[in-house]
Amino acid sequence: MNTSHHRPADTWSPLYFLASLGPGGLAVTFFMFLMFWVPHPGQPVPVFEHIMSAFTSGGLPLKAAILLAVTGIAGFVFLNIKMLIWNLTRFSQFRKTESYTKLVNSNGETQLLAMPLALAMTVNAGFIVGLVFVPGLWGVVEYLFPLAMIAFALVAYLAFRQIGNFLGRVLSDGGIFDVSANNSFAQLLPAFALSMTAVGMAAPAAMSTVPLTVGVSMILSIMLGTVAGLYALVAAITAFNSMLHHGTAKESAPTLMIVVPILTVIGIMTMRQEHGLHTTFAAPSGVADNLLLTTTILAIQIVFLALGLLVLRRQKYADAYLRGNGNSAGAYALVCPGVALSVMLQFWINKGLVSAGLIAKFGIAYWSFTSLAIASQVAMIVLVFFLNHRHFAGRARMQSVPAE
């Protein structure tokens, strides 16, 4: 049988929404260049005017960094939106199939949370595009914050509805949830989706000067972040117990590192809330608070990265799904930890080490640490293009493996 024109992505699963999430996260890594290298006095984030001023008056290295950043943001947000539209189209078709009915009656129903996760990322990426490319946006930004919170509230509603469908089904009747098949961190996907909406909901708390907007942003983001943390804790404990009994499911092994992006977005949410408390409600945080927070998060992330990479190597995951004949949409989950690590390193360096006075900005130590963040970023860029070619180009003699 001729399979030369078959693409692995033709065997669709909701985890392909992660192919949209990854580019959105990479756009954020490029925004970190602007966030921490472009001066923006008196404002929490750089906007178009700051970027143009820095590009006009800055030296050649800064000009090159700005050009690289805006190009990266534009390119990866385009890819993010393109993949989101493709996935939404495929999802509408998927809902009419028997595969959908089978999915929503299995442990894999939580894969559907990849959709609100990707939607929340796209809203976040859209806000970055506005800041970077739209002149005069800051003059009307207070009118945009309520609209952004409404968008995140709608995404959160979708996520809670899907979580409710899943929990209502498995908790109302016994014996439905297959505990033996819960031997991965795949069930933490709902927590990831909620945390992504929480970090977006917290943005007005850090940027708005209207007390009501800041207060509503803080309350809603705290609620979403708390629920995300609670869900992640319960899901991780039950999953770890199953993994100890049955080992880690090979195809779902990348989910062992899902804790890394969850902690990054929760950490950014917390820093945004603290900024709002300081600027709006006169409750300043200590100089080293961000250093303590980001260092603690990095320590936990390193543990789960090491654990995940250890299991992936022992199970020869790359031989099966990256170099071999098998394919899994879940391989896109490998992008999230690397992106999240790059972003958290940038915050640890700039909001932690530099702000606490431990290292000088743009000194040797600064660039030594920053090179680690950039290395992780570059590796994930390569991985995204590699996976896109593998899954979306026509390939001969390749079997697409449905995600568990």
Side-chain angles (χ1 to χ4, degrees), residues 118-183:
L119 288 169
M121 174 55 81
T122 299
V123 177
N124 281 313
F127 205 82
I128 288 175
V129 168
L131 293 174
V132 174
F133 294 105
V134 180
L137 182 73
W138 204 252
V140 297
V141 74
E142 293 293 354
Y143 299 101
L144 300 179
F145 288 141
L147 297 177
M149 287 192 289
I150 290 171
F152 283 114
L154 291 173
V155 174
Y157 170 76
L158 174 62
F160 278 121
R161 210 173 134 188
Q162 292 177 339
I163 292 171
N165 290 339
F166 172 70
L167 292 180
R169 179 175 63 82
V170 300
L171 296 179
S172 59
D173 299 307
I176 292 178
F177 187 78
D178 187 355
V179 177
S180 64
N182 189 36
N183 52 338

Side-chain angles (χ1 to χ4, degrees), residues 43-75:
Q43 289 185 201
V45 291
V47 295
F48 175 83
E49 288 75 14
H50 297 128
I51 297 166
M52 288 303 299
S53 175
F55 187 78
T56 302
S57 60
L60 185 59
L62 182 58
K63 290 179 189 288
I66 291 173
L67 188 60
L68 178 63
V70 297
T71 303
I73 291 169

Side-chain angles (χ1 to χ4, degrees), residues 178-185 239 242-243 246-250 252 404:
D178 187 355
V179 177
S180 64
N182 189 36
N183 52 338
S184 73
F185 277 173
S242 183
M243 283 188 282
H246 306 286
T248 304
K250 184 173 182 177
S252 300
E404 293 178 1

Side-chain angles (χ1 to χ4, degrees), residues 43-45 127 138 141-146 149 201-218 272 275-281:
Q43 289 185 201
V45 291
F127 205 82
W138 204 252
V141 74
E142 293 293 354
Y143 299 101
L144 300 179
F145 288 141
M149 287 192 289
M201 190 69 80
M207 301 182 206
S208 178
T209 57
V210 177
L212 180 60
T213 301
V214 174
V216 172
S217 170
M218 288 185 61
R272 286 175 169 179
H275 186 82
L277 285 171
H278 171 58
T279 58
T280 304
F281 299 108

Side-chain angles (χ1 to χ4, degrees), residues 50-372:
H50 297 128
I51 297 166
M52 288 303 299
S53 175
F55 187 78
T56 302
S57 60
L60 185 59
L62 182 58
K63 290 179 189 288
I66 291 173
L67 188 60
L68 178 63
V70 297
T71 303
I73 291 169
F76 282 107
V77 170
F78 172 79
L79 185 57
N80 163 262
I81 295 172
K82 175 185 174 183
M83 296 305 301
L84 179 65
I85 293 172
W86 177 81
N87 274 288
L88 290 173
T89 302
R90 293 301 304 266
F91 176 69
S92 66
Q93 300 167 352
F94 180 72
R95 292 189 65 176
K96 303 170 185 175
T97 66
E98 282 189 26
S99 297
Y100 174 79
T101 304
K102 182 180 179 182
L103 181 71
V104 297
N105 287 284
S106 69
N107 291 15
E109 184 179 3
T110 51
Q111 289 182 20
L112 297 176
L113 271 297
M115 179 170 64
L117 172 61
L119 288 169
M121 174 55 81
T122 299
V123 177
N124 281 313
F127 205 82
I128 288 175
V129 168
L131 293 174
V132 174
F133 294 105
V134 180
L137 182 73
W138 204 252
V140 297
V141 74
E142 293 293 354
Y143 299 101
L144 300 179
F145 288 141
L147 297 177
M149 287 192 289
I150 290 171
F152 283 114
L154 291 173
V155 174
Y157 170 76
L158 174 62
F160 278 121
R161 210 173 134 188
Q162 292 177 339
I163 292 171
N165 290 339
F166 172 70
L167 292 180
R169 179 175 63 82
V170 300
L171 296 179
S172 59
D173 299 307
I176 292 178
F177 187 78
D178 187 355
V179 177
S180 64
N182 189 36
N183 52 338
S184 73
F185 277 173
Q187 294 301 324
L188 270 70
L189 189 58
F192 192 9
L194 291 177
S195 62
M196 187 64 73
T197 61
V199 72
M201 190 69 80
M207 301 182 206
S208 178
T209 57
V210 177
L212 180 60
T213 301
V214 174
V216 172
S217 170
M218 288 185 61
I219 291 169
L220 293 178
S221 61
I222 288 171
M223 293 174 67
L224 285 169
T226 301
V227 174
L230 177 63
Y231 197 106
L233 182 63
V234 173
I237 291 173
T238 56
F240 203 74
N241 178 62
S242 183
M243 283 188 282
L244 290 175
H245 282 84
H246 306 286
T248 304
K250 184 173 182 177
E251 191 182 351
S252 300
T255 63
L256 289 174
M257 297 182 287
I258 197 174
V259 173
V260 177
I262 291 175
L263 285 175
T264 289
V265 293
I266 291 295
I268 296 172
M269 177 201 75
T270 303
M271 285 184 278
R272 286 175 169 179
Q273 292 166 350
E274 288 182 350
H275 186 82
L277 285 171
H278 171 58
T279 58
T280 304
F281 299 108
S285 58
V287 174
D289 282 2
N290 284 336
L291 176 62
L292 295 175
L293 174 65
T294 53
T295 303
T296 302
I297 288 174
L298 268 177
I300 301 171
Q301 288 178 325
I302 290 171
V303 168
F304 279 96
L305 278 171
L307 176 64
L309 291 174
L310 173 66
V311 173
L312 288 172
R313 188 173 71 250
R314 292 287 292 269
Q315 293 188 335
K316 295 182 172 55
Y317 182 90
D319 290 339
Y321 301 114
L322 299 180
R323 292 189 290 264
N325 289 329
N327 282 287
S328 171
Y332 278 97
L334 294 169
V335 178
C336 303
V339 168
L341 179 66
S342 177
V343 172
M344 184 47 62
L345 281 171
Q346 290 278 18
F347 275 95
W348 178 64
I349 295 162
N350 292 277
K351 293 294 187 181
L353 298 177
V354 173
S355 295
L358 294 180
I359 64 173
K361 190 162 188 177
F362 304 138
I364 295 175
Y366 181 91
W367 288 117
S368 297
F369 287 124
T370 299
S371 66
L372 300 176

